[in-house]
Amino acid sequence: MSDRLPARMRALAGELTDLRARSGMTTRVAARALGISSASLNRTEKAKRAASAEELGGMLAVYGATDQDRHAVLELAGELPLPGWLGLPPEPAVLARFEAQASTVLDFAPTAVPALLQTGAYARALLTQAGAVADAPGRQAPEQRVAARVARQGVLSRLSAPRYTALLDEAVLRRPVGGGAAMAEQIRWLVSRATEPHISVRVVPFRHGGYRNPGRFSVLRFRDATPLVYLEHEGSSGFLDTHGPVEVFTAISATISAAALDDSDSVNLMNRIAADHDRS
């Protein structure tokens, strides 16, 4: 086994190097896109350092890997041959890098306001409920986590911001996360953001009945790369970028959009719900 591992690492390193070269990226450009140092990427390509599962996933996306390329890389890496790459712990930094590169982002939120639209108070309440704040070591860690989540929203304020759509279930607005006052503030922040020309916030109201709900997901599209679907659930997250899954979630997005109110009616409903929280 000890003799075979280096050979396998060298083969994997060769595959990754070839993918990068075919993408036309230098190691410096690729490392910057992946959020790692050029030295780390060079060591990975020389089989002197093993890439993490997160880095492998990033490379496959950034380099525009085909299904055949992905199969070869994941087989050499010993990963399960799943479509896309799943099973990772939630990693906001990876998603944030793709959000920054996207031309359009669609978030479907059945249980909580998407991270790109959360107020600090709402984010703090969610993190507390999830145990992230209580379990974080050190006195500064909780606020650092909240600050990082809010700072991530800067992508929507850039001149080159993606066109952003949030599809929210009415339950997201009705549940008083952080209390009535905090929830009213959060909803009014949604209304404020919805006035911006590149941001759409639409609500699926209770009165429209049931609809297809696969859980929280995002669809990210790029000018010069294949689309990605991001899935996140308790303790795991991942991306799908093969044609089949992307088309499935594109169709689901259309179904949810058809069930949602338009922008104007959504704002009216949000204002009414905010007033309800004020009275609670």
Side-chain angles (χ1 to χ4, degrees):
M1 181 66 70
S2 60
D3 290 337
R4 294 170 61 187
L5 183 58
R8 186 170 182 166
M9 287 184 64
R10 286 197 299 272
L12 175 60
E15 286 284 344
L16 294 173
T17 302
D18 288 346
L19 282 176
R20 178 187 56 74
R22 281 171 17 212
S23 74
M25 291 185 176
T26 64
T27 54
R28 185 180 298 275
V29 170
R32 185 163 57 247
L34 294 166
I36 62 177
S37 68
S38 297
S40 293
L41 183 57
N42 279 320
R43 285 176 58 80
T44 297
E45 292 190 353
K46 293 177 181 178
K48 295 181 179 180
R49 171 184 176 274
S52 68
E54 173 191 326
E55 289 170 359
L56 284 175
M59 290 175 189
L60 291 171
V62 168
Y63 298 164
T66 65
D67 290 349
Q68 184 177 357
D69 295 328
R70 183 177 297 103
H71 178 79
V73 167
L74 295 182
E75 185 176 23
L76 287 169
E79 299 293 326
L80 293 175
L82 297 172
W85 50 101
L86 295 169
L88 307 177
E91 182 48 69
V94 178
L95 178 58
R97 286 199 293 272
F98 287 127
E99 287 169 341
Q101 299 164 6
S103 56
T104 67
V105 177
L106 181 145
D107 273 335
F108 171 59
T111 59
V113 173
L116 289 180
L117 296 176
Q118 292 174 10
T119 64
Y122 186 94
R124 188 176 298 106
L126 281 183
L127 290 168
T128 300
Q129 292 164 1
V133 169
D135 297 339
R139 295 176 59 88
Q140 297 302 313
E143 288 309 312
Q144 288 174 352
R145 289 168 182 257
V146 173
R149 182 167 293 194
V150 173
R152 177 177 149 201
Q153 300 172 7
V155 68
L156 295 182
S157 300
R158 302 180 319 181
L159 290 176
S160 59
R163 294 194 61 83
Y164 180 77
T165 300
L167 299 174
L168 313 181
D169 191 284
E170 185 175 340
V172 172
L173 306 173
R174 293 289 182 184
R175 194 175 302 280
V177 175
M183 196 65 214
E185 176 191 44
Q186 171 64 76
I187 294 173
R188 291 195 171 96
W189 176 242
L190 293 174
V191 171
S192 173
R193 298 250 67 184
T195 64
E196 300 185 41
H198 64 294
I199 297 177
S200 174
V201 181
R202 299 177 58 201
V203 182
V204 182
F206 290 153
R207 68 175 185 268
H208 283 185
Y211 62 97
R212 187 172 181 182
N213 180 346
R216 183 258 192 274
F217 70 87
S218 302
V219 179
L220 300 93
R221 298 184 182 277
F222 308 87
R223 291 181 179 83
D224 301 312
T226 57
L228 289 175
V229 174
Y230 175 74
L231 306 176
E232 182 177 310
H233 300 282
E234 186 69 27
S236 66
S237 67
F239 295 91
L240 303 171
D241 66 346
T242 53
H243 179 75
V246 168
E247 289 302 306
V248 167
F249 279 90
T250 297
I252 293 173
S253 300
T255 299
I256 298 171
S257 294
L261 299 172
D262 64 21
D263 293 79
S264 177
D265 287 342
S266 293
V267 166
N268 290 336
L269 177 58
M270 286 190 286
N271 281 325
R272 291 198 299 272
I273 296 175
D276 290 342
H277 284 297
D278 285 332
R279 291 189 292 269
S280 62

